[in-house]
PDB file of all heavy atoms in Angstrom:
ATOM      1  N   GLY A   1       0.805  -1.193  -0.010  1.00  0.00           N
ATOM      2  CA  GLY A   1      -0.042   0.008  -0.004  1.00  0.00           C
ATOM      3  C   GLY A   1       0.819   1.285   0.039  1.00  0.00           C
ATOM      4  O   GLY A   1       2.063   1.256  -0.119  1.00  0.00           O
ATOM      5  N   SER A   2       0.167   2.359   0.113  1.00  0.00           N
ATOM      6  CA  SER A   2       0.759   3.679   0.084  1.00  0.00           C
ATOM      7  C   SER A   2       0.353   4.550   1.215  1.00  0.00           C
ATOM      8  O   SER A   2      -0.707   4.280   1.836  1.00  0.00           O
ATOM      9  CB  SER A   2       0.401   4.472  -1.261  1.00  0.00           C
ATOM     10  OG  SER A   2       0.803   3.710  -2.294  1.00  0.00           O
ATOM     11  N   ALA A   3       1.249   5.545   1.566  1.00  0.00           N
ATOM     12  CA  ALA A   3       1.001   6.525   2.570  1.00  0.00           C
ATOM     13  C   ALA A   3       1.664   7.681   2.304  1.00  0.00           C
ATOM     14  O   ALA A   3       2.719   7.643   1.695  1.00  0.00           O
ATOM     15  CB  ALA A   3       1.278   5.965   3.956  1.00  0.00           C
ATOM     16  N   ARG A   4       1.126   8.875   2.759  1.00  0.00           N
ATOM     17  CA  ARG A   4       1.768  10.163   2.656  1.00  0.00           C
ATOM     18  C   ARG A   4       2.004  10.799   3.890  1.00  0.00           C
ATOM     19  O   ARG A   4       0.953  11.069   4.633  1.00  0.00           O
ATOM     20  CB  ARG A   4       0.947  10.959   1.627  1.00  0.00           C
ATOM     21  CG  ARG A   4       1.576  12.256   1.183  1.00  0.00           C
ATOM     22  CD  ARG A   4       0.617  13.275   0.428  1.00  0.00           C
ATOM     23  NE  ARG A   4       1.260  14.212  -0.281  1.00  0.00           N
ATOM     24  CZ  ARG A   4       0.712  15.381  -0.560  1.00  0.00           C
ATOM     25  NH1 ARG A   4      -0.470  15.626  -0.106  1.00  0.00           N
ATOM     26  NH2 ARG A   4       1.333  16.296  -1.313  1.00  0.00           N
ATOM     27  N   LEU A   5       3.149  11.269   4.226  1.00  0.00           N
ATOM     28  CA  LEU A   5       3.517  12.051   5.401  1.00  0.00           C
ATOM     29  C   LEU A   5       3.552  13.406   5.040  1.00  0.00           C
ATOM     30  O   LEU A   5       4.234  13.737   3.976  1.00  0.00           O
ATOM     31  CB  LEU A   5       4.715  11.511   6.032  1.00  0.00           C
ATOM     32  CG  LEU A   5       4.788  10.013   6.393  1.00  0.00           C
ATOM     33  CD1 LEU A   5       6.091   9.629   7.065  1.00  0.00           C
ATOM     34  CD2 LEU A   5       3.624   9.588   7.252  1.00  0.00           C
ATOM     35  N   SER A   6       3.253  14.387   5.929  1.00  0.00           N
ATOM     36  CA  SER A   6       3.360  15.766   5.713  1.00  0.00           C
ATOM     37  C   SER A   6       4.042  16.361   7.043  1.00  0.00           C
ATOM     38  O   SER A   6       3.864  15.838   8.091  1.00  0.00           O
ATOM     39  CB  SER A   6       2.005  16.456   5.615  1.00  0.00           C
ATOM     40  OG  SER A   6       1.363  15.957   4.465  1.00  0.00           O
ATOM     41  N   CYS A   7       4.835  17.400   6.722  1.00  0.00           N
ATOM     42  CA  CYS A   7       5.513  18.123   7.826  1.00  0.00           C
ATOM     43  C   CYS A   7       5.407  19.600   7.557  1.00  0.00           C
ATOM     44  O   CYS A   7       5.988  20.090   6.635  1.00  0.00           O
ATOM     45  CB  CYS A   7       6.977  17.614   7.856  1.00  0.00           C
ATOM     46  SG  CYS A   7       7.953  18.535   9.131  1.00  0.00           S
ATOM     47  N   ALA A   8       4.673  20.254   8.363  1.00  0.00           N
ATOM     48  CA  ALA A   8       4.531  21.673   8.189  1.00  0.00           C
ATOM     49  C   ALA A   8       5.412  22.419   9.230  1.00  0.00           C
ATOM     50  O   ALA A   8       5.441  22.104  10.336  1.00  0.00           O
ATOM     51  CB  ALA A   8       2.986  22.062   8.545  1.00  0.00           C
ATOM     52  N   ALA A   9       6.053  23.385   8.670  1.00  0.00           N
ATOM     53  CA  ALA A   9       7.032  24.200   9.515  1.00  0.00           C
ATOM     54  C   ALA A   9       6.502  25.582   9.794  1.00  0.00           C
ATOM     55  O   ALA A   9       5.854  26.226   8.934  1.00  0.00           O
ATOM     56  CB  ALA A   9       8.446  24.186   8.814  1.00  0.00           C
ATOM     57  N   SER A  10       7.045  26.165  10.898  1.00  0.00           N
ATOM     58  CA  SER A  10       6.700  27.486  11.271  1.00  0.00           C
ATOM     59  C   SER A  10       7.846  27.951  12.032  1.00  0.00           C
ATOM     60  O   SER A  10       8.727  27.290  12.600  1.00  0.00           O
ATOM     61  CB  SER A  10       5.466  27.663  12.043  1.00  0.00           C
ATOM     62  OG  SER A  10       5.467  26.957  13.238  1.00  0.00           O
ATOM     63  N   GLY A  11       8.008  29.293  12.126  1.00  0.00           N
ATOM     64  CA  GLY A  11       9.092  29.892  12.890  1.00  0.00           C
ATOM     65  C   GLY A  11      10.203  30.493  11.918  1.00  0.00           C
ATOM     66  O   GLY A  11       9.949  30.839  10.806  1.00  0.00           O
ATOM     67  N   SER A  12      11.476  30.375  12.404  1.00  0.00           N
ATOM     68  CA  SER A  12      12.586  30.942  11.633  1.00  0.00           C
ATOM     69  C   SER A  12      13.104  30.081  10.466  1.00  0.00           C
ATOM     70  O   SER A  12      14.237  29.564  10.607  1.00  0.00           O
ATOM     71  CB  SER A  12      13.732  31.225  12.652  1.00  0.00           C
ATOM     72  OG  SER A  12      13.282  32.147  13.711  1.00  0.00           O
ATOM     73  N   ILE A  13      12.284  29.771   9.657  1.00  0.00           N
ATOM     74  CA  ILE A  13      12.617  28.838   8.514  1.00  0.00           C
ATOM     75  C   ILE A  13      13.514  29.477   7.532  1.00  0.00           C
ATOM     76  O   ILE A  13      14.063  28.716   6.689  1.00  0.00           O
ATOM     77  CB  ILE A  13      11.377  28.251   7.873  1.00  0.00           C
ATOM     78  CG1 ILE A  13      10.571  29.384   7.205  1.00  0.00           C
ATOM     79  CG2 ILE A  13      10.560  27.563   8.838  1.00  0.00           C
ATOM     80  CD1 ILE A  13       9.463  28.964   6.399  1.00  0.00           C
ATOM     81  N   PHE A  14      13.870  30.715   7.587  1.00  0.00           N
ATOM     82  CA  PHE A  14      14.747  31.354   6.630  1.00  0.00           C
ATOM     83  C   PHE A  14      16.162  30.779   6.703  1.00  0.00           C
ATOM     84  O   PHE A  14      16.819  30.848   5.732  1.00  0.00           O
ATOM     85  CB  PHE A  14      14.674  32.890   6.819  1.00  0.00           C
ATOM     86  CG  PHE A  14      15.267  33.238   8.209  1.00  0.00           C
ATOM     87  CD1 PHE A  14      16.652  33.464   8.408  1.00  0.00           C
ATOM     88  CD2 PHE A  14      14.412  33.458   9.220  1.00  0.00           C
ATOM     89  CE1 PHE A  14      17.043  33.729   9.680  1.00  0.00           C
ATOM     90  CE2 PHE A  14      14.799  33.869  10.507  1.00  0.00           C
ATOM     91  CZ  PHE A  14      16.240  33.952  10.683  1.00  0.00           C
ATOM     92  N   SER A  15      16.473  30.250   7.878  1.00  0.00           N
ATOM     93  CA  SER A  15      17.815  29.691   8.033  1.00  0.00           C
ATOM     94  C   SER A  15      17.971  28.246   7.607  1.00  0.00           C
ATOM     95  O   SER A  15      19.010  27.662   7.629  1.00  0.00           O
ATOM     96  CB  SER A  15      18.245  29.797   9.566  1.00  0.00           C
ATOM     97  OG  SER A  15      17.423  28.952  10.285  1.00  0.00           O
ATOM     98  N   ILE A  16      16.846  27.645   7.196  1.00  0.00           N
ATOM     99  CA  ILE A  16      16.864  26.187   6.892  1.00  0.00           C
ATOM    100  C   ILE A  16      17.460  25.913   5.517  1.00  0.00           C
ATOM    101  O   ILE A  16      17.141  26.640   4.509  1.00  0.00           O
ATOM    102  CB  ILE A  16      15.412  25.619   6.998  1.00  0.00           C
ATOM    103  CG1 ILE A  16      14.901  25.742   8.378  1.00  0.00           C
ATOM    104  CG2 ILE A  16      15.489  24.129   6.542  1.00  0.00           C
ATOM    105  CD1 ILE A  16      15.697  25.145   9.471  1.00  0.00           C
ATOM    106  N   MET A  17      18.351  24.974   5.478  1.00  0.00           N
ATOM    107  CA  MET A  17      19.082  24.607   4.147  1.00  0.00           C
ATOM    108  C   MET A  17      18.559  23.273   3.710  1.00  0.00           C
ATOM    109  O   MET A  17      18.510  23.092   2.497  1.00  0.00           O
ATOM    110  CB  MET A  17      20.557  24.590   4.387  1.00  0.00           C
ATOM    111  CG  MET A  17      21.056  25.914   4.883  1.00  0.00           C
ATOM    112  SD  MET A  17      22.847  25.933   5.154  1.00  0.00           S
ATOM    113  CE  MET A  17      23.427  25.729   3.502  1.00  0.00           C
ATOM    114  N   VAL A  18      18.331  22.285   4.590  1.00  0.00           N
ATOM    115  CA  VAL A  18      18.006  20.991   4.169  1.00  0.00           C
ATOM    116  C   VAL A  18      16.796  20.461   5.031  1.00  0.00           C
ATOM    117  O   VAL A  18      16.677  20.707   6.204  1.00  0.00           O
ATOM    118  CB  VAL A  18      19.168  19.932   4.345  1.00  0.00           C
ATOM    119  CG1 VAL A  18      18.741  18.629   3.892  1.00  0.00           C
ATOM    120  CG2 VAL A  18      20.359  20.465   3.630  1.00  0.00           C
ATOM    121  N   MET A  19      15.842  19.841   4.302  1.00  0.00           N
ATOM    122  CA  MET A  19      14.746  19.216   5.081  1.00  0.00           C
ATOM    123  C   MET A  19      14.785  17.656   4.767  1.00  0.00           C
ATOM    124  O   MET A  19      15.220  17.277   3.648  1.00  0.00           O
ATOM    125  CB  MET A  19      13.519  19.792   4.566  1.00  0.00           C
ATOM    126  CG  MET A  19      13.354  21.226   4.870  1.00  0.00           C
ATOM    127  SD  MET A  19      12.382  22.083   3.435  1.00  0.00           S
ATOM    128  CE  MET A  19      13.711  22.166   2.202  1.00  0.00           C
ATOM    129  N   GLY A  20      14.332  16.859   5.693  1.00  0.00           N
ATOM    130  CA  GLY A  20      14.452  15.404   5.482  1.00  0.00           C
ATOM    131  C   GLY A  20      13.455  14.604   6.361  1.00  0.00           C
ATOM    132  O   GLY A  20      12.840  15.134   7.228  1.00  0.00           O
ATOM    133  N   TRP A  21      13.411  13.391   6.038  1.00  0.00           N
ATOM    134  CA  TRP A  21      12.632  12.388   6.782  1.00  0.00           C
ATOM    135  C   TRP A  21      13.615  11.319   7.290  1.00  0.00           C
ATOM    136  O   TRP A  21      14.435  10.876   6.483  1.00  0.00           O
ATOM    137  CB  TRP A  21      11.541  11.732   5.983  1.00  0.00           C
ATOM    138  CG  TRP A  21      10.434  12.707   5.620  1.00  0.00           C
ATOM    139  CD1 TRP A  21      10.327  13.488   4.551  1.00  0.00           C
ATOM    140  CD2 TRP A  21       9.311  12.978   6.417  1.00  0.00           C
ATOM    141  NE1 TRP A  21       9.100  14.202   4.588  1.00  0.00           N
ATOM    142  CE2 TRP A  21       8.462  13.874   5.788  1.00  0.00           C
ATOM    143  CE3 TRP A  21       8.902  12.473   7.681  1.00  0.00           C
ATOM    144  CZ2 TRP A  21       7.196  14.421   6.385  1.00  0.00           C
ATOM    145  CZ3 TRP A  21       7.682  12.924   8.165  1.00  0.00           C
ATOM    146  CH2 TRP A  21       6.883  13.849   7.580  1.00  0.00           C
ATOM    147  N   TYR A  22      13.400  10.924   8.579  1.00  0.00           N
ATOM    148  CA  TYR A  22      14.208   9.954   9.159  1.00  0.00           C
ATOM    149  C   TYR A  22      13.296   8.951   9.789  1.00  0.00           C
ATOM    150  O   TYR A  22      12.068   9.257   9.975  1.00  0.00           O
ATOM    151  CB  TYR A  22      15.086  10.521  10.247  1.00  0.00           C
ATOM    152  CG  TYR A  22      16.243  11.431   9.728  1.00  0.00           C
ATOM    153  CD1 TYR A  22      15.902  12.633   9.236  1.00  0.00           C
ATOM    154  CD2 TYR A  22      17.517  10.988   9.732  1.00  0.00           C
ATOM    155  CE1 TYR A  22      16.864  13.493   8.670  1.00  0.00           C
ATOM    156  CE2 TYR A  22      18.529  11.790   9.199  1.00  0.00           C
ATOM    157  CZ  TYR A  22      18.194  13.111   8.707  1.00  0.00           C
ATOM    158  OH  TYR A  22      19.194  13.824   8.198  1.00  0.00           O
ATOM    159  N   ARG A  23      13.700   7.747  10.142  1.00  0.00           N
ATOM    160  CA  ARG A  23      12.818   6.714  10.714  1.00  0.00           C
ATOM    161  C   ARG A  23      13.631   5.959  11.741  1.00  0.00           C
ATOM    162  O   ARG A  23      14.897   5.688  11.620  1.00  0.00           O
ATOM    163  CB  ARG A  23      12.241   5.855   9.661  1.00  0.00           C
ATOM    164  CG  ARG A  23      13.086   4.975   8.941  1.00  0.00           C
ATOM    165  CD  ARG A  23      12.451   4.205   7.797  1.00  0.00           C
ATOM    166  NE  ARG A  23      13.278   3.315   7.101  1.00  0.00           N
ATOM    167  CZ  ARG A  23      12.887   2.716   5.923  1.00  0.00           C
ATOM    168  NH1 ARG A  23      11.565   2.748   5.437  1.00  0.00           N
ATOM    169  NH2 ARG A  23      13.773   1.894   5.281  1.00  0.00           N
ATOM    170  N   GLN A  24      12.890   5.456  12.676  1.00  0.00           N
ATOM    171  CA  GLN A  24      13.373   4.634  13.727  1.00  0.00           C
ATOM    172  C   GLN A  24      12.474   3.520  14.065  1.00  0.00           C
ATOM    173  O   GLN A  24      11.447   3.731  14.509  1.00  0.00           O
ATOM    174  CB  GLN A  24      13.649   5.526  15.020  1.00  0.00           C
ATOM    175  CG  GLN A  24      14.393   4.782  16.211  1.00  0.00           C
ATOM    176  CD  GLN A  24      14.781   5.785  17.245  1.00  0.00           C
ATOM    177  OE1 GLN A  24      14.310   6.915  17.287  1.00  0.00           O
ATOM    178  NE2 GLN A  24      15.640   5.261  18.102  1.00  0.00           N
ATOM    179  N   ALA A  25      13.022   2.303  13.711  1.00  0.00           N
ATOM    180  CA  ALA A  25      12.322   1.109  14.071  1.00  0.00           C
ATOM    181  C   ALA A  25      12.510   0.700  15.429  1.00  0.00           C
ATOM    182  O   ALA A  25      13.467   1.138  16.032  1.00  0.00           O
ATOM    183  CB  ALA A  25      12.742  -0.006  13.076  1.00  0.00           C
ATOM    184  N   PRO A  26      11.567  -0.199  15.915  1.00  0.00           N
ATOM    185  CA  PRO A  26      11.696  -0.670  17.329  1.00  0.00           C
ATOM    186  C   PRO A  26      13.171  -1.303  17.588  1.00  0.00           C
ATOM    187  O   PRO A  26      13.613  -2.015  16.732  1.00  0.00           O
ATOM    188  CB  PRO A  26      10.666  -1.719  17.427  1.00  0.00           C
ATOM    189  CG  PRO A  26       9.651  -1.334  16.458  1.00  0.00           C
ATOM    190  CD  PRO A  26      10.349  -0.796  15.300  1.00  0.00           C
ATOM    191  N   ARG A  27      13.744  -0.868  18.624  1.00  0.00           N
ATOM    192  CA  ARG A  27      15.064  -1.267  19.043  1.00  0.00           C
ATOM    193  C   ARG A  27      16.180  -0.919  17.925  1.00  0.00           C
ATOM    194  O   ARG A  27      17.267  -1.487  17.944  1.00  0.00           O
ATOM    195  CB  ARG A  27      15.099  -2.814  19.256  1.00  0.00           C
ATOM    196  CG  ARG A  27      14.225  -3.259  20.423  1.00  0.00           C
ATOM    197  CD  ARG A  27      14.252  -4.763  20.547  1.00  0.00           C
ATOM    198  NE  ARG A  27      13.755  -5.390  19.372  1.00  0.00           N
ATOM    199  CZ  ARG A  27      12.392  -5.572  19.273  1.00  0.00           C
ATOM    200  NH1 ARG A  27      11.534  -5.092  20.075  1.00  0.00           N
ATOM    201  NH2 ARG A  27      11.981  -6.249  18.135  1.00  0.00           N
ATOM    202  N   GLY A  28      15.842   0.057  17.040  1.00  0.00           N
ATOM    203  CA  GLY A  28      16.880   0.438  16.087  1.00  0.00           C
ATOM    204  C   GLY A  28      17.276   1.897  16.271  1.00  0.00           C
ATOM    205  O   GLY A  28      16.778   2.528  17.143  1.00  0.00           O
ATOM    206  N   GLN A  29      18.192   2.336  15.415  1.00  0.00           N
ATOM    207  CA  GLN A  29      18.599   3.704  15.531  1.00  0.00           C
ATOM    208  C   GLN A  29      17.914   4.628  14.505  1.00  0.00           C
ATOM    209  O   GLN A  29      17.190   4.003  13.679  1.00  0.00           O
ATOM    210  CB  GLN A  29      20.126   3.787  15.176  1.00  0.00           C
ATOM    211  CG  GLN A  29      20.501   3.321  13.792  1.00  0.00           C
ATOM    212  CD  GLN A  29      22.057   3.308  13.541  1.00  0.00           C
ATOM    213  OE1 GLN A  29      22.815   3.376  14.524  1.00  0.00           O
ATOM    214  NE2 GLN A  29      22.467   3.313  12.351  1.00  0.00           N
ATOM    215  N   ARG A  30      17.925   5.883  14.545  1.00  0.00           N
ATOM    216  CA  ARG A  30      17.243   6.758  13.741  1.00  0.00           C
ATOM    217  C   ARG A  30      18.178   6.887  12.512  1.00  0.00           C
ATOM    218  O   ARG A  30      19.317   7.377  12.486  1.00  0.00           O
ATOM    219  CB  ARG A  30      17.029   8.103  14.386  1.00  0.00           C
ATOM    220  CG  ARG A  30      16.020   9.008  13.614  1.00  0.00           C
ATOM    221  CD  ARG A  30      15.737  10.318  14.396  1.00  0.00           C
ATOM    222  NE  ARG A  30      14.948   9.954  15.702  1.00  0.00           N
ATOM    223  CZ  ARG A  30      14.547  10.915  16.442  1.00  0.00           C
ATOM    224  NH1 ARG A  30      14.581  12.141  16.189  1.00  0.00           N
ATOM    225  NH2 ARG A  30      13.922  10.503  17.634  1.00  0.00           N
ATOM    226  N   ASP A  31      17.488   6.548  11.336  1.00  0.00           N
ATOM    227  CA  ASP A  31      18.232   6.584  10.112  1.00  0.00           C
ATOM    228  C   ASP A  31      17.604   7.543   9.154  1.00  0.00           C
ATOM    229  O   ASP A  31      16.416   7.681   9.069  1.00  0.00           O
ATOM    230  CB  ASP A  31      18.351   5.156   9.469  1.00  0.00           C
ATOM    231  CG  ASP A  31      19.139   4.205  10.309  1.00  0.00           C
ATOM    232  OD1 ASP A  31      20.164   4.594  10.863  1.00  0.00           O
ATOM    233  OD2 ASP A  31      18.591   3.073  10.406  1.00  0.00           O
ATOM    234  N   MET A  32      18.443   8.106   8.273  1.00  0.00           N
ATOM    235  CA  MET A  32      17.868   8.886   7.191  1.00  0.00           C
ATOM    236  C   MET A  32      17.150   8.134   6.155  1.00  0.00           C
ATOM    237  O   MET A  32      17.569   7.089   5.749  1.00  0.00           O
ATOM    238  CB  MET A  32      19.102   9.660   6.463  1.00  0.00           C
ATOM    239  CG  MET A  32      18.658  10.763   5.448  1.00  0.00           C
ATOM    240  SD  MET A  32      18.412  10.113   3.728  1.00  0.00           S
ATOM    241  CE  MET A  32      19.999   9.664   3.222  1.00  0.00           C
ATOM    242  N   VAL A  33      16.017   8.655   5.718  1.00  0.00           N
ATOM    243  CA  VAL A  33      15.256   8.099   4.729  1.00  0.00           C
ATOM    244  C   VAL A  33      15.409   8.869   3.316  1.00  0.00           C
ATOM    245  O   VAL A  33      15.678   8.299   2.258  1.00  0.00           O
ATOM    246  CB  VAL A  33      13.792   8.027   5.018  1.00  0.00           C
ATOM    247  CG1 VAL A  33      12.873   7.419   3.909  1.00  0.00           C
ATOM    248  CG2 VAL A  33      13.542   7.197   6.378  1.00  0.00           C
ATOM    249  N   ALA A  34      15.152  10.191   3.458  1.00  0.00           N
ATOM    250  CA  ALA A  34      15.264  10.991   2.251  1.00  0.00           C
ATOM    251  C   ALA A  34      15.400  12.480   2.747  1.00  0.00           C
ATOM    252  O   ALA A  34      14.959  12.864   3.848  1.00  0.00           O
ATOM    253  CB  ALA A  34      13.995  10.912   1.415  1.00  0.00           C
ATOM    254  N   THR A  35      16.181  13.225   1.942  1.00  0.00           N
ATOM    255  CA  THR A  35      16.320  14.645   2.150  1.00  0.00           C
ATOM    256  C   THR A  35      16.139  15.504   0.894  1.00  0.00           C
ATOM    257  O   THR A  35      16.212  14.876  -0.230  1.00  0.00           O
ATOM    258  CB  THR A  35      17.836  14.926   2.699  1.00  0.00           C
ATOM    259  OG1 THR A  35      18.780  14.559   1.679  1.00  0.00           O
ATOM    260  CG2 THR A  35      18.060  14.244   3.968  1.00  0.00           C
ATOM    261  N   ILE A  36      15.845  16.748   1.147  1.00  0.00           N
ATOM    262  CA  ILE A  36      15.682  17.629   0.018  1.00  0.00           C
ATOM    263  C   ILE A  36      16.115  19.016   0.379  1.00  0.00           C
ATOM    264  O   ILE A  36      15.912  19.463   1.552  1.00  0.00           O
ATOM    265  CB  ILE A  36      14.185  17.618  -0.462  1.00  0.00           C
ATOM    266  CG1 ILE A  36      13.959  18.516  -1.724  1.00  0.00           C
ATOM    267  CG2 ILE A  36      13.268  18.181   0.658  1.00  0.00           C
ATOM    268  CD1 ILE A  36      12.571  18.331  -2.398  1.00  0.00           C
ATOM    269  N   THR A  37      16.810  19.733  -0.555  1.00  0.00           N
ATOM    270  CA  THR A  37      17.206  21.118  -0.292  1.00  0.00           C
ATOM    271  C   THR A  37      16.084  22.063  -0.833  1.00  0.00           C
ATOM    272  O   THR A  37      15.191  21.634  -1.561  1.00  0.00           O
ATOM    273  CB  THR A  37      18.442  21.423  -0.960  1.00  0.00           C
ATOM    274  OG1 THR A  37      18.263  21.358  -2.472  1.00  0.00           O
ATOM    275  CG2 THR A  37      19.492  20.370  -0.575  1.00  0.00           C
ATOM    276  N   TRP A  38      16.336  23.339  -0.418  1.00  0.00           N
ATOM    277  CA  TRP A  38      15.376  24.373  -0.910  1.00  0.00           C
ATOM    278  C   TRP A  38      15.322  24.402  -2.419  1.00  0.00           C
ATOM    279  O   TRP A  38      14.319  24.760  -3.031  1.00  0.00           O
ATOM    280  CB  TRP A  38      15.625  25.662  -0.317  1.00  0.00           C
ATOM    281  CG  TRP A  38      15.119  25.865   0.977  1.00  0.00           C
ATOM    282  CD1 TRP A  38      15.947  26.121   2.146  1.00  0.00           C
ATOM    283  CD2 TRP A  38      13.826  25.918   1.446  1.00  0.00           C
ATOM    284  NE1 TRP A  38      15.065  26.228   3.294  1.00  0.00           N
ATOM    285  CE2 TRP A  38      13.814  25.995   2.876  1.00  0.00           C
ATOM    286  CE3 TRP A  38      12.555  25.658   0.852  1.00  0.00           C
ATOM    287  CZ2 TRP A  38      12.613  26.094   3.641  1.00  0.00           C
ATOM    288  CZ3 TRP A  38      11.344  25.705   1.596  1.00  0.00           C
ATOM    289  CH2 TRP A  38      11.369  25.861   2.968  1.00  0.00           C
ATOM    290  N   SER A  39      16.428  24.112  -3.082  1.00  0.00           N
ATOM    291  CA  SER A  39      16.516  24.140  -4.522  1.00  0.00           C
ATOM    292  C   SER A  39      15.913  22.875  -5.165  1.00  0.00           C
ATOM    293  O   SER A  39      15.791  22.748  -6.385  1.00  0.00           O
ATOM    294  CB  SER A  39      18.009  24.312  -4.995  1.00  0.00           C
ATOM    295  OG  SER A  39      18.764  23.151  -4.575  1.00  0.00           O
ATOM    296  N   GLY A  40      15.626  21.871  -4.350  1.00  0.00           N
ATOM    297  CA  GLY A  40      14.988  20.644  -4.842  1.00  0.00           C
ATOM    298  C   GLY A  40      15.933  19.479  -4.988  1.00  0.00           C
ATOM    299  O   GLY A  40      15.426  18.394  -5.473  1.00  0.00           O
ATOM    300  N   ALA A  41      17.160  19.528  -4.687  1.00  0.00           N
ATOM    301  CA  ALA A  41      18.030  18.411  -4.768  1.00  0.00           C
ATOM    302  C   ALA A  41      17.617  17.391  -3.790  1.00  0.00           C
ATOM    303  O   ALA A  41      17.513  17.640  -2.529  1.00  0.00           O
ATOM    304  CB  ALA A  41      19.477  18.809  -4.592  1.00  0.00           C
ATOM    305  N   THR A  42      17.492  16.155  -4.193  1.00  0.00           N
ATOM    306  CA  THR A  42      17.080  14.994  -3.262  1.00  0.00           C
ATOM    307  C   THR A  42      18.158  13.991  -3.064  1.00  0.00           C
ATOM    308  O   THR A  42      19.023  13.803  -3.946  1.00  0.00           O
ATOM    309  CB  THR A  42      15.728  14.459  -3.894  1.00  0.00           C
ATOM    310  OG1 THR A  42      16.066  13.863  -5.168  1.00  0.00           O
ATOM    311  CG2 THR A  42      14.679  15.410  -3.967  1.00  0.00           C
ATOM    312  N   ASN A  43      17.960  13.248  -2.044  1.00  0.00           N
ATOM    313  CA  ASN A  43      18.857  12.120  -1.659  1.00  0.00           C
ATOM    314  C   ASN A  43      17.992  11.083  -0.925  1.00  0.00           C
ATOM    315  O   ASN A  43      17.112  11.404  -0.121  1.00  0.00           O
ATOM    316  CB  ASN A  43      19.987  12.536  -0.796  1.00  0.00           C
ATOM    317  CG  ASN A  43      20.993  11.454  -0.523  1.00  0.00           C
ATOM    318  OD1 ASN A  43      21.322  10.710  -1.470  1.00  0.00           O
ATOM    319  ND2 ASN A  43      21.441  11.329   0.635  1.00  0.00           N
ATOM    320  N   TYR A  44      18.216   9.804  -1.255  1.00  0.00           N
ATOM    321  CA  TYR A  44      17.447   8.749  -0.634  1.00  0.00           C
ATOM    322  C   TYR A  44      18.341   7.623  -0.163  1.00  0.00           C
ATOM    323  O   TYR A  44      19.316   7.357  -0.786  1.00  0.00           O
ATOM    324  CB  TYR A  44      16.518   8.128  -1.794  1.00  0.00           C
ATOM    325  CG  TYR A  44      15.418   9.069  -2.214  1.00  0.00           C
ATOM    326  CD1 TYR A  44      15.600   9.817  -3.341  1.00  0.00           C
ATOM    327  CD2 TYR A  44      14.173   9.180  -1.576  1.00  0.00           C
ATOM    328  CE1 TYR A  44      14.657  10.716  -3.855  1.00  0.00           C
ATOM    329  CE2 TYR A  44      13.130  10.034  -2.078  1.00  0.00           C
ATOM    330  CZ  TYR A  44      13.428  10.767  -3.202  1.00  0.00           C
ATOM    331  OH  TYR A  44      12.461  11.644  -3.698  1.00  0.00           O
TER     332      TYR A  44
END
């Protein structure tokens, strides 16, 4: 199946350079899933 996550930001976002999603499984560490810059460059 599919799912869509959203993350809405407020505050001093002018300083932000990279946005991303991370995940942490039970008994696991927090790992990067995907990142995106303001210009749109992505990494998975």
Side-chain angles (χ1 to χ4, degrees):
S2 298
R4 189 192 196 204
L5 306 181
S6 300
C7 178
S10 61
S12 302
I13 60 172
F14 60 87
S15 65
I16 299 302
M17 301 180 67
V18 180
M19 298 145 283
W21 288 94
Y22 293 72
R23 65 186 179 187
Q24 187 168 12
R27 297 178 296 280
Q29 62 182 18
R30 191 173 298 186
D31 295 320
M32 187 276 289
V33 176
T35 62
I36 188 169
T37 67
W38 280 116
S39 64
T42 59
N43 184 42
Y44 296 90

